[in-house]
PDB file of all heavy atoms in Angstrom:
ATOM      1  N   ALA A 473      98.036 107.394 118.781  1.00 98.00           N
ATOM      2  CA  ALA A 473      98.325 108.030 120.059  1.00 98.00           C
ATOM      3  C   ALA A 473      99.697 108.686 119.969  1.00 98.00           C
ATOM      4  O   ALA A 473     100.593 108.193 119.268  1.00 98.00           O
ATOM      5  CB  ALA A 473      98.334 106.984 121.173  1.00 98.00           C
ATOM      6  N   ASP A 474      99.864 109.790 120.671  1.00 98.00           N
ATOM      7  CA  ASP A 474     101.144 110.495 120.620  1.00 98.00           C
ATOM      8  C   ASP A 474     102.304 109.597 121.040  1.00 98.00           C
ATOM      9  O   ASP A 474     103.418 109.721 120.519  1.00 98.00           O
ATOM     10  CB  ASP A 474     101.098 111.728 121.526  1.00 98.00           C
ATOM     11  CG  ASP A 474     100.225 112.839 120.956  1.00 98.00           C
ATOM     12  OD1 ASP A 474      99.933 112.807 119.740  1.00 98.00           O
ATOM     13  OD2 ASP A 474      99.834 113.730 121.728  1.00 98.00           O
ATOM     14  N   SER A 475     102.040 108.697 121.965  1.00 97.00           N
ATOM     15  CA  SER A 475     103.102 107.859 122.510  1.00 97.00           C
ATOM     16  C   SER A 475     103.661 106.857 121.496  1.00 97.00           C
ATOM     17  O   SER A 475     104.738 106.298 121.722  1.00 97.00           O
ATOM     18  CB  SER A 475     102.591 107.107 123.743  1.00 97.00           C
ATOM     19  OG  SER A 475     101.473 106.306 123.395  1.00 97.00           O
ATOM     20  N   VAL A 476     102.950 106.628 120.410  1.00 98.00           N
ATOM     21  CA  VAL A 476     103.416 105.626 119.435  1.00 98.00           C
ATOM     22  C   VAL A 476     103.703 106.226 118.064  1.00 98.00           C
ATOM     23  O   VAL A 476     104.181 105.516 117.172  1.00 98.00           O
ATOM     24  CB  VAL A 476     102.401 104.465 119.293  1.00 98.00           C
ATOM     25  CG1 VAL A 476     102.088 103.860 120.649  1.00 98.00           C
ATOM     26  CG2 VAL A 476     101.136 104.903 118.571  1.00 98.00           C
ATOM     27  N   LYS A 477     103.423 107.510 117.887  1.00 98.00           N
ATOM     28  CA  LYS A 477     103.660 108.138 116.592  1.00 98.00           C
ATOM     29  C   LYS A 477     105.121 107.998 116.195  1.00 98.00           C
ATOM     30  O   LYS A 477     106.017 108.223 117.004  1.00 98.00           O
ATOM     31  CB  LYS A 477     103.268 109.619 116.638  1.00 98.00           C
ATOM     32  CG  LYS A 477     101.787 109.863 116.525  1.00 98.00           C
ATOM     33  CD  LYS A 477     101.475 111.342 116.572  1.00 98.00           C
ATOM     34  CE  LYS A 477      99.971 111.578 116.496  1.00 98.00           C
ATOM     35  NZ  LYS A 477      99.620 113.014 116.619  1.00 98.00           N
ATOM     36  N   GLY A 478     105.332 107.626 114.946  1.00 97.00           N
ATOM     37  CA  GLY A 478     106.681 107.465 114.429  1.00 97.00           C
ATOM     38  C   GLY A 478     107.268 106.091 114.693  1.00 97.00           C
ATOM     39  O   GLY A 478     108.314 105.745 114.137  1.00 97.00           O
ATOM     40  N   ARG A 479     106.618 105.301 115.547  1.00 98.00           N
ATOM     41  CA  ARG A 479     107.108 103.955 115.855  1.00 98.00           C
ATOM     42  C   ARG A 479     106.158 102.865 115.385  1.00 98.00           C
ATOM     43  O   ARG A 479     106.607 101.787 114.979  1.00 98.00           O
ATOM     44  CB  ARG A 479     107.327 103.816 117.371  1.00 98.00           C
ATOM     45  CG  ARG A 479     108.316 104.799 117.943  1.00 98.00           C
ATOM     46  CD  ARG A 479     108.637 104.478 119.422  1.00 98.00           C
ATOM     47  NE  ARG A 479     107.463 104.564 120.278  1.00 98.00           N
ATOM     48  CZ  ARG A 479     107.006 103.543 121.001  1.00 98.00           C
ATOM     49  NH1 ARG A 479     107.611 102.384 120.971  1.00 98.00           N
ATOM     50  NH2 ARG A 479     105.950 103.703 121.774  1.00 98.00           N
ATOM     51  N   PHE A 480     104.861 103.134 115.473  1.00 98.00           N
ATOM     52  CA  PHE A 480     103.855 102.142 115.104  1.00 98.00           C
ATOM     53  C   PHE A 480     103.181 102.562 113.790  1.00 98.00           C
ATOM     54  O   PHE A 480     103.001 103.750 113.528  1.00 98.00           O
ATOM     55  CB  PHE A 480     102.778 102.031 116.178  1.00 98.00           C
ATOM     56  CG  PHE A 480     103.227 101.412 117.469  1.00 98.00           C
ATOM     57  CD1 PHE A 480     104.562 101.189 117.772  1.00 98.00           C
ATOM     58  CD2 PHE A 480     102.272 101.047 118.426  1.00 98.00           C
ATOM     59  CE1 PHE A 480     104.961 100.627 118.971  1.00 98.00           C
ATOM     60  CE2 PHE A 480     102.659 100.478 119.625  1.00 98.00           C
ATOM     61  CZ  PHE A 480     103.998 100.268 119.898  1.00 98.00           C
ATOM     62  N   THR A 481     102.791 101.563 113.019  1.00 98.00           N
ATOM     63  CA  THR A 481     102.059 101.822 111.772  1.00 98.00           C
ATOM     64  C   THR A 481     100.872 100.882 111.689  1.00 98.00           C
ATOM     65  O   THR A 481     101.027  99.663 111.820  1.00 98.00           O
ATOM     66  CB  THR A 481     102.962 101.609 110.552  1.00 98.00           C
ATOM     67  OG1 THR A 481     104.104 102.471 110.643  1.00 98.00           O
ATOM     68  CG2 THR A 481     102.201 101.923 109.272  1.00 98.00           C
ATOM     69  N   ILE A 482      99.698 101.454 111.471  1.00 98.00           N
ATOM     70  CA  ILE A 482      98.491 100.649 111.279  1.00 98.00           C
ATOM     71  C   ILE A 482      98.190 100.583 109.786  1.00 98.00           C
ATOM     72  O   ILE A 482      98.363 101.564 109.048  1.00 98.00           O
ATOM     73  CB  ILE A 482      97.303 101.233 112.063  1.00 98.00           C
ATOM     74  CG1 ILE A 482      96.116 100.271 112.052  1.00 98.00           C
ATOM     75  CG2 ILE A 482      96.908 102.626 111.562  1.00 98.00           C
ATOM     76  CD1 ILE A 482      95.003 100.660 113.020  1.00 98.00           C
ATOM     77  N   SER A 483      97.771  99.406 109.358  1.00 97.00           N
ATOM     78  CA  SER A 483      97.425  99.228 107.947  1.00 97.00           C
ATOM     79  C   SER A 483      96.317  98.187 107.857  1.00 97.00           C
ATOM     80  O   SER A 483      95.983  97.523 108.843  1.00 97.00           O
ATOM     81  CB  SER A 483      98.655  98.797 107.139  1.00 97.00           C
ATOM     82  OG  SER A 483      99.145  97.551 107.598  1.00 97.00           O
ATOM     83  N   ARG A 484      95.757  98.073 106.658  1.00 96.00           N
ATOM     84  CA  ARG A 484      94.674  97.103 106.493  1.00 96.00           C
ATOM     85  C   ARG A 484      94.736  96.471 105.118  1.00 96.00           C
ATOM     86  O   ARG A 484      95.241  97.065 104.158  1.00 96.00           O
ATOM     87  CB  ARG A 484      93.321  97.776 106.716  1.00 96.00           C
ATOM     88  CG  ARG A 484      92.942  98.817 105.685  1.00 96.00           C
ATOM     89  CD  ARG A 484      91.735  99.649 106.145  1.00 96.00           C
ATOM     90  NE  ARG A 484      90.561  98.806 106.380  1.00 96.00           N
ATOM     91  CZ  ARG A 484      89.502  99.198 107.090  1.00 96.00           C
ATOM     92  NH1 ARG A 484      89.474 100.417 107.624  1.00 96.00           N
ATOM     93  NH2 ARG A 484      88.477  98.402 107.248  1.00 96.00           N
ATOM     94  N   ASP A 485      94.230  95.244 105.075  1.00 95.00           N
ATOM     95  CA  ASP A 485      94.077  94.522 103.819  1.00 95.00           C
ATOM     96  C   ASP A 485      92.584  94.294 103.650  1.00 95.00           C
ATOM     97  O   ASP A 485      92.001  93.460 104.335  1.00 95.00           O
ATOM     98  CB  ASP A 485      94.845  93.191 103.880  1.00 95.00           C
ATOM     99  CG  ASP A 485      94.772  92.411 102.582  1.00 95.00           C
ATOM    100  OD1 ASP A 485      93.764  92.516 101.863  1.00 95.00           O
ATOM    101  OD2 ASP A 485      95.725  91.681 102.296  1.00 95.00           O
ATOM    102  N   ASN A 486      91.977  95.051 102.772  1.00 93.00           N
ATOM    103  CA  ASN A 486      90.518  95.000 102.635  1.00 93.00           C
ATOM    104  C   ASN A 486      90.040  93.688 102.019  1.00 93.00           C
ATOM    105  O   ASN A 486      88.896  93.294 102.224  1.00 93.00           O
ATOM    106  CB  ASN A 486      90.035  96.186 101.800  1.00 93.00           C
ATOM    107  CG  ASN A 486      90.221  97.506 102.531  1.00 93.00           C
ATOM    108  OD1 ASN A 486      90.069  97.572 103.749  1.00 93.00           O
ATOM    109  ND2 ASN A 486      90.545  98.558 101.798  1.00 93.00           N
ATOM    110  N   VAL A 487      90.890  93.028 101.283  1.00 94.00           N
ATOM    111  CA  VAL A 487      90.509  91.738 100.688  1.00 94.00           C
ATOM    112  C   VAL A 487      90.408  90.685 101.795  1.00 94.00           C
ATOM    113  O   VAL A 487      89.498  89.856 101.793  1.00 94.00           O
ATOM    114  CB  VAL A 487      91.508  91.318  99.610  1.00 94.00           C
ATOM    115  CG1 VAL A 487      91.201  89.913  99.111  1.00 94.00           C
ATOM    116  CG2 VAL A 487      91.503  92.320  98.455  1.00 94.00           C
ATOM    117  N   LYS A 488      91.339  90.747 102.725  1.00 94.00           N
ATOM    118  CA  LYS A 488      91.373  89.765 103.815  1.00 94.00           C
ATOM    119  C   LYS A 488      90.607  90.226 105.057  1.00 94.00           C
ATOM    120  O   LYS A 488      90.542  89.495 106.050  1.00 94.00           O
ATOM    121  CB  LYS A 488      92.828  89.473 104.200  1.00 94.00           C
ATOM    122  CG  LYS A 488      93.650  88.833 103.100  1.00 94.00           C
ATOM    123  CD  LYS A 488      95.070  88.573 103.573  1.00 94.00           C
ATOM    124  CE  LYS A 488      95.900  87.911 102.487  1.00 94.00           C
ATOM    125  NZ  LYS A 488      97.297  87.663 102.939  1.00 94.00           N
ATOM    126  N   ASN A 489      90.046  91.436 105.020  1.00 95.00           N
ATOM    127  CA  ASN A 489      89.361  92.002 106.205  1.00 95.00           C
ATOM    128  C   ASN A 489      90.273  91.941 107.424  1.00 95.00           C
ATOM    129  O   ASN A 489      89.852  91.554 108.527  1.00 95.00           O
ATOM    130  CB  ASN A 489      88.053  91.270 106.500  1.00 95.00           C
ATOM    131  CG  ASN A 489      87.031  91.465 105.416  1.00 95.00           C
ATOM    132  OD1 ASN A 489      87.055  92.458 104.689  1.00 95.00           O
ATOM    133  ND2 ASN A 489      86.133  90.504 105.278  1.00 95.00           N
ATOM    134  N   THR A 490      91.508  92.303 107.236  1.00 97.00           N
ATOM    135  CA  THR A 490      92.522  92.195 108.283  1.00 97.00           C
ATOM    136  C   THR A 490      93.194  93.547 108.499  1.00 97.00           C
ATOM    137  O   THR A 490      93.508  94.251 107.537  1.00 97.00           O
ATOM    138  CB  THR A 490      93.577  91.143 107.907  1.00 97.00           C
ATOM    139  OG1 THR A 490      92.929  89.871 107.770  1.00 97.00           O
ATOM    140  CG2 THR A 490      94.648  91.041 108.977  1.00 97.00           C
ATOM    141  N   VAL A 491      93.391  93.862 109.759  1.00 97.00           N
ATOM    142  CA  VAL A 491      94.135  95.065 110.124  1.00 97.00           C
ATOM    143  C   VAL A 491      95.416  94.646 110.831  1.00 97.00           C
ATOM    144  O   VAL A 491      95.453  93.626 111.541  1.00 97.00           O
ATOM    145  CB  VAL A 491      93.289  96.003 111.020  1.00 97.00           C
ATOM    146  CG1 VAL A 491      92.985  95.367 112.366  1.00 97.00           C
ATOM    147  CG2 VAL A 491      93.952  97.349 111.196  1.00 97.00           C
ATOM    148  N   TYR A 492      96.468  95.397 110.587  1.00 98.00           N
ATOM    149  CA  TYR A 492      97.784  95.086 111.131  1.00 98.00           C
ATOM    150  C   TYR A 492      98.288  96.258 111.970  1.00 98.00           C
ATOM    151  O   TYR A 492      97.925  97.408 111.741  1.00 98.00           O
ATOM    152  CB  TYR A 492      98.780  94.818 110.001  1.00 98.00           C
ATOM    153  CG  TYR A 492      98.357  93.747 109.041  1.00 98.00           C
ATOM    154  CD1 TYR A 492      97.735  94.063 107.840  1.00 98.00           C
ATOM    155  CD2 TYR A 492      98.586  92.404 109.336  1.00 98.00           C
ATOM    156  CE1 TYR A 492      97.335  93.073 106.959  1.00 98.00           C
ATOM    157  CE2 TYR A 492      98.194  91.405 108.460  1.00 98.00           C
ATOM    158  CZ  TYR A 492      97.570  91.747 107.278  1.00 98.00           C
ATOM    159  OH  TYR A 492      97.170  90.765 106.404  1.00 98.00           O
ATOM    160  N   LEU A 493      99.136  95.935 112.908  1.00 98.00           N
ATOM    161  CA  LEU A 493      99.837  96.960 113.671  1.00 98.00           C
ATOM    162  C   LEU A 493     101.309  96.582 113.684  1.00 98.00           C
ATOM    163  O   LEU A 493     101.701  95.611 114.330  1.00 98.00           O
ATOM    164  CB  LEU A 493      99.303  97.075 115.103  1.00 98.00           C
ATOM    165  CG  LEU A 493      99.894  98.221 115.917  1.00 98.00           C
ATOM    166  CD1 LEU A 493      99.432  99.567 115.352  1.00 98.00           C
ATOM    167  CD2 LEU A 493      99.511  98.115 117.392  1.00 98.00           C
ATOM    168  N   GLU A 494     102.087  97.326 112.934  1.00 98.00           N
ATOM    169  CA  GLU A 494     103.531  97.144 112.909  1.00 98.00           C
ATOM    170  C   GLU A 494     104.124  97.999 114.006  1.00 98.00           C
ATOM    171  O   GLU A 494     103.948  99.221 114.017  1.00 98.00           O
ATOM    172  CB  GLU A 494     104.091  97.565 111.547  1.00 98.00           C
ATOM    173  CG  GLU A 494     105.559  97.280 111.366  1.00 98.00           C
ATOM    174  CD  GLU A 494     105.834  95.796 111.126  1.00 98.00           C
ATOM    175  OE1 GLU A 494     105.013  95.146 110.460  1.00 98.00           O
ATOM    176  OE2 GLU A 494     106.862  95.303 111.621  1.00 98.00           O
ATOM    177  N   MET A 495     104.826  97.346 114.942  1.00 98.00           N
ATOM    178  CA  MET A 495     105.378  98.050 116.102  1.00 98.00           C
ATOM    179  C   MET A 495     106.892  97.965 116.055  1.00 98.00           C
ATOM    180  O   MET A 495     107.451  96.870 116.094  1.00 98.00           O
ATOM    181  CB  MET A 495     104.844  97.439 117.395  1.00 98.00           C
ATOM    182  CG  MET A 495     103.323  97.399 117.454  1.00 98.00           C
ATOM    183  SD  MET A 495     102.697  96.796 119.035  1.00 98.00           S
ATOM    184  CE  MET A 495     103.226  95.089 118.965  1.00 98.00           C
ATOM    185  N   ASN A 496     107.540  99.109 115.956  1.00 98.00           N
ATOM    186  CA  ASN A 496     109.000  99.184 115.920  1.00 98.00           C
ATOM    187  C   ASN A 496     109.518  99.982 117.102  1.00 98.00           C
ATOM    188  O   ASN A 496     108.767 100.716 117.752  1.00 98.00           O
ATOM    189  CB  ASN A 496     109.443  99.843 114.610  1.00 98.00           C
ATOM    190  CG  ASN A 496     109.036  99.058 113.385  1.00 98.00           C
ATOM    191  OD1 ASN A 496     109.203  97.835 113.339  1.00 98.00           O
ATOM    192  ND2 ASN A 496     108.502  99.742 112.392  1.00 98.00           N
ATOM    193  N   SER A 497     110.800  99.845 117.360  1.00 98.00           N
ATOM    194  CA  SER A 497     111.442 100.571 118.466  1.00 98.00           C
ATOM    195  C   SER A 497     110.640 100.426 119.754  1.00 98.00           C
ATOM    196  O   SER A 497     110.357 101.415 120.450  1.00 98.00           O
ATOM    197  CB  SER A 497     111.592 102.060 118.106  1.00 98.00           C
ATOM    198  OG  SER A 497     112.342 102.222 116.927  1.00 98.00           O
ATOM    199  N   LEU A 498     110.281  99.209 120.068  1.00 98.00           N
ATOM    200  CA  LEU A 498     109.425  98.957 121.223  1.00 98.00           C
ATOM    201  C   LEU A 498     110.120  99.359 122.516  1.00 98.00           C
ATOM    202  O   LEU A 498     111.330  99.171 122.687  1.00 98.00           O
ATOM    203  CB  LEU A 498     109.002  97.500 121.257  1.00 98.00           C
ATOM    204  CG  LEU A 498     107.884  97.153 120.263  1.00 98.00           C
ATOM    205  CD1 LEU A 498     107.832  95.664 120.002  1.00 98.00           C
ATOM    206  CD2 LEU A 498     106.549  97.654 120.802  1.00 98.00           C
ATOM    207  N   LYS A 499     109.306  99.891 123.431  1.00 98.00           N
ATOM    208  CA  LYS A 499     109.787 100.342 124.728  1.00 98.00           C
ATOM    209  C   LYS A 499     109.132  99.507 125.828  1.00 98.00           C
ATOM    210  O   LYS A 499     108.094  98.880 125.622  1.00 98.00           O
ATOM    211  CB  LYS A 499     109.422 101.819 124.932  1.00 98.00           C
ATOM    212  CG  LYS A 499     109.939 102.751 123.851  1.00 98.00           C
ATOM    213  CD  LYS A 499     109.464 104.174 124.103  1.00 98.00           C
ATOM    214  CE  LYS A 499     109.961 105.124 123.022  1.00 98.00           C
ATOM    215  NZ  LYS A 499     109.482 106.519 123.253  1.00 98.00           N
ATOM    216  N   LEU A 500     109.744  99.561 127.000  1.00 97.00           N
ATOM    217  CA  LEU A 500     109.183  98.812 128.129  1.00 97.00           C
ATOM    218  C   LEU A 500     107.730  99.208 128.378  1.00 97.00           C
ATOM    219  O   LEU A 500     106.896  98.363 128.698  1.00 97.00           O
ATOM    220  CB  LEU A 500     110.018  99.064 129.378  1.00 97.00           C
ATOM    221  CG  LEU A 500     111.464  98.587 129.349  1.00 97.00           C
ATOM    222  CD1 LEU A 500     112.166  98.948 130.654  1.00 97.00           C
ATOM    223  CD2 LEU A 500     111.554  97.081 129.113  1.00 97.00           C
ATOM    224  N   GLU A 501     107.444 100.493 128.209  1.00 96.00           N
ATOM    225  CA  GLU A 501     106.092 100.978 128.490  1.00 96.00           C
ATOM    226  C   GLU A 501     105.063 100.576 127.438  1.00 96.00           C
ATOM    227  O   GLU A 501     103.879 100.865 127.594  1.00 96.00           O
ATOM    228  CB  GLU A 501     106.092 102.506 128.645  1.00 96.00           C
ATOM    229  CG  GLU A 501     106.739 103.262 127.490  1.00 96.00           C
ATOM    230  CD  GLU A 501     108.202 103.610 127.785  1.00 96.00           C
ATOM    231  OE1 GLU A 501     108.920 102.767 128.354  1.00 96.00           O
ATOM    232  OE2 GLU A 501     108.601 104.741 127.400  1.00 96.00           O
ATOM    233  N   ASP A 502     105.499  99.897 126.396  1.00 98.00           N
ATOM    234  CA  ASP A 502     104.544  99.358 125.419  1.00 98.00           C
ATOM    235  C   ASP A 502     103.973  98.016 125.869  1.00 98.00           C
ATOM    236  O   ASP A 502     103.061  97.482 125.223  1.00 98.00           O
ATOM    237  CB  ASP A 502     105.214  99.185 124.055  1.00 98.00           C
ATOM    238  CG  ASP A 502     105.606 100.500 123.419  1.00 98.00           C
ATOM    239  OD1 ASP A 502     104.817 101.465 123.494  1.00 98.00           O
ATOM    240  OD2 ASP A 502     106.721 100.571 122.838  1.00 98.00           O
ATOM    241  N   THR A 503     104.494  97.486 126.952  1.00 98.00           N
ATOM    242  CA  THR A 503     103.990  96.223 127.488  1.00 98.00           C
ATOM    243  C   THR A 503     102.528  96.367 127.883  1.00 98.00           C
ATOM    244  O   THR A 503     102.167  97.254 128.656  1.00 98.00           O
ATOM    245  CB  THR A 503     104.819  95.786 128.702  1.00 98.00           C
ATOM    246  OG1 THR A 503     106.151  95.497 128.272  1.00 98.00           O
ATOM    247  CG2 THR A 503     104.207  94.546 129.350  1.00 98.00           C
ATOM    248  N   ALA A 504     101.687  95.494 127.325  1.00 98.00           N
ATOM    249  CA  ALA A 504     100.258  95.571 127.578  1.00 98.00           C
ATOM    250  C   ALA A 504      99.562  94.434 126.840  1.00 98.00           C
ATOM    251  O   ALA A 504     100.177  93.740 126.019  1.00 98.00           O
ATOM    252  CB  ALA A 504      99.687  96.905 127.086  1.00 98.00           C
ATOM    253  N   VAL A 505      98.290  94.274 127.133  1.00 98.00           N
ATOM    254  CA  VAL A 505      97.439  93.434 126.298  1.00 98.00           C
ATOM    255  C   VAL A 505      96.860  94.338 125.209  1.00 98.00           C
ATOM    256  O   VAL A 505      96.294  95.389 125.505  1.00 98.00           O
ATOM    257  CB  VAL A 505      96.302  92.778 127.105  1.00 98.00           C
ATOM    258  CG1 VAL A 505      95.401  91.973 126.177  1.00 98.00           C
ATOM    259  CG2 VAL A 505      96.881  91.898 128.208  1.00 98.00           C
ATOM    260  N   TYR A 506      97.034  93.923 123.980  1.00 98.00           N
ATOM    261  CA  TYR A 506      96.567  94.707 122.842  1.00 98.00           C
ATOM    262  C   TYR A 506      95.269  94.108 122.314  1.00 98.00           C
ATOM    263  O   TYR A 506      95.186  92.897 122.065  1.00 98.00           O
ATOM    264  CB  TYR A 506      97.632  94.726 121.745  1.00 98.00           C
ATOM    265  CG  TYR A 506      98.774  95.659 122.065  1.00 98.00           C
ATOM    266  CD1 TYR A 506      99.674  95.368 123.089  1.00 98.00           C
ATOM    267  CD2 TYR A 506      98.953  96.850 121.369  1.00 98.00           C
ATOM    268  CE1 TYR A 506     100.703  96.234 123.412  1.00 98.00           C
ATOM    269  CE2 TYR A 506      99.987  97.722 121.680  1.00 98.00           C
ATOM    270  CZ  TYR A 506     100.850  97.407 122.702  1.00 98.00           C
ATOM    271  OH  TYR A 506     101.870  98.264 123.024  1.00 98.00           O
ATOM    272  N   TYR A 507      94.278  94.975 122.137  1.00 98.00           N
ATOM    273  CA  TYR A 507      92.953  94.553 121.706  1.00 98.00           C
ATOM    274  C   TYR A 507      92.624  95.151 120.346  1.00 98.00           C
ATOM    275  O   TYR A 507      92.766  96.360 120.134  1.00 98.00           O
ATOM    276  CB  TYR A 507      91.895  95.007 122.701  1.00 98.00           C
ATOM    277  CG  TYR A 507      91.999  94.388 124.063  1.00 98.00           C
ATOM    278  CD1 TYR A 507      92.735  94.996 125.073  1.00 98.00           C
ATOM    279  CD2 TYR A 507      91.361  93.174 124.346  1.00 98.00           C
ATOM    280  CE1 TYR A 507      92.832  94.420 126.333  1.00 98.00           C
ATOM    281  CE2 TYR A 507      91.455  92.596 125.597  1.00 98.00           C
ATOM    282  CZ  TYR A 507      92.190  93.211 126.581  1.00 98.00           C
ATOM    283  OH  TYR A 507      92.285  92.639 127.828  1.00 98.00           O
ATOM    284  N   CYS A 508      92.177  94.298 119.474  1.00 97.00           N
ATOM    285  CA  CYS A 508      91.674  94.752 118.186  1.00 97.00           C
ATOM    286  C   CYS A 508      90.247  95.267 118.369  1.00 97.00           C
ATOM    287  O   CYS A 508      89.494  94.758 119.206  1.00 97.00           O
ATOM    288  CB  CYS A 508      91.702  93.590 117.198  1.00 97.00           C
ATOM    289  SG  CYS A 508      91.067  93.997 115.562  1.00 97.00           S
ATOM    290  N   TYR A 509      89.908  96.252 117.588  1.00 95.00           N
ATOM    291  CA  TYR A 509      88.613  96.919 117.702  1.00 95.00           C
ATOM    292  C   TYR A 509      88.025  97.118 116.313  1.00 95.00           C
ATOM    293  O   TYR A 509      88.752  97.386 115.350  1.00 95.00           O
ATOM    294  CB  TYR A 509      88.840  98.263 118.403  1.00 95.00           C
ATOM    295  CG  TYR A 509      87.849  99.345 118.081  1.00 95.00           C
ATOM    296  CD1 TYR A 509      86.671  99.461 118.811  1.00 95.00           C
ATOM    297  CD2 TYR A 509      88.098 100.275 117.071  1.00 95.00           C
ATOM    298  CE1 TYR A 509      85.766 100.461 118.529  1.00 95.00           C
ATOM    299  CE2 TYR A 509      87.182 101.273 116.779  1.00 95.00           C
ATOM    300  CZ  TYR A 509      86.018 101.357 117.518  1.00 95.00           C
ATOM    301  OH  TYR A 509      85.126 102.342 117.220  1.00 95.00           O
ATOM    302  N   ALA A 510      86.699  96.983 116.252  1.00 97.00           N
ATOM    303  CA  ALA A 510      85.996  97.302 115.010  1.00 97.00           C
ATOM    304  C   ALA A 510      84.629  97.890 115.359  1.00 97.00           C
ATOM    305  O   ALA A 510      84.024  97.513 116.360  1.00 97.00           O
ATOM    306  CB  ALA A 510      85.828  96.061 114.150  1.00 97.00           C
ATOM    307  N   LYS A 511      84.192  98.798 114.539  1.00 95.00           N
ATOM    308  CA  LYS A 511      82.861  99.380 114.707  1.00 95.00           C
ATOM    309  C   LYS A 511      82.033  99.017 113.495  1.00 95.00           C
ATOM    310  O   LYS A 511      82.465  99.207 112.337  1.00 95.00           O
ATOM    311  CB  LYS A 511      82.949 100.905 114.851  1.00 95.00           C
ATOM    312  CG  LYS A 511      81.595 101.562 115.116  1.00 95.00           C
ATOM    313  CD  LYS A 511      81.703 103.070 115.187  1.00 95.00           C
ATOM    314  CE  LYS A 511      82.398 103.543 116.432  1.00 95.00           C
ATOM    315  NZ  LYS A 511      81.591 103.293 117.660  1.00 95.00           N
ATOM    316  N   TRP A 512      80.849  98.503 113.750  1.00 94.00           N
ATOM    317  CA  TRP A 512      79.960  98.081 112.654  1.00 94.00           C
ATOM    318  C   TRP A 512      78.548  98.458 113.039  1.00 94.00           C
ATOM    319  O   TRP A 512      78.052  98.024 114.081  1.00 94.00           O
ATOM    320  CB  TRP A 512      80.108  96.566 112.434  1.00 94.00           C
ATOM    321  CG  TRP A 512      79.442  96.072 111.196  1.00 94.00           C
ATOM    322  CD1 TRP A 512      79.752  96.358 109.909  1.00 94.00           C
ATOM    323  CD2 TRP A 512      78.341  95.155 111.148  1.00 94.00           C
ATOM    324  NE1 TRP A 512      78.915  95.705 109.056  1.00 94.00           N
ATOM    325  CE2 TRP A 512      78.035  94.948 109.780  1.00 94.00           C
ATOM    326  CE3 TRP A 512      77.589  94.495 112.109  1.00 94.00           C
ATOM    327  CZ2 TRP A 512      77.027  94.114 109.370  1.00 94.00           C
ATOM    328  CZ3 TRP A 512      76.584  93.653 111.689  1.00 94.00           C
ATOM    329  CH2 TRP A 512      76.303  93.481 110.328  1.00 94.00           C
TER     330      TRP A 512
END
């Protein structure tokens, strides 16, 4: 999303079937419930 570009990084570990979201320079407006999503 434009609002997180340059601050957040998504990555994955295919061996562990795990996705990560590294969030830096957090702002007040980043406050929320964060939901992981997968399509299968």
Side-chain angles (χ1 to χ4, degrees):
D474 288 342
S475 59
V476 306
K477 281 180 182 177
R479 301 188 298 121
F480 290 12
T481 302
I482 189 169
S483 62
R484 66 192 300 163
D485 182 329
N486 292 324
V487 174
K488 297 180 179 180
N489 294 334
T490 299
V491 65
Y492 305 97
L493 186 68
E494 186 75 36
M495 305 185 292
N496 298 314
S497 302
L498 283 161
K499 304 177 181 179
L500 296 178
E501 53 264 40
D502 293 319
T503 295
V505 177
Y506 284 70
Y507 295 91
C508 179
Y509 153 88
K511 184 183 289 292
W512 190 66

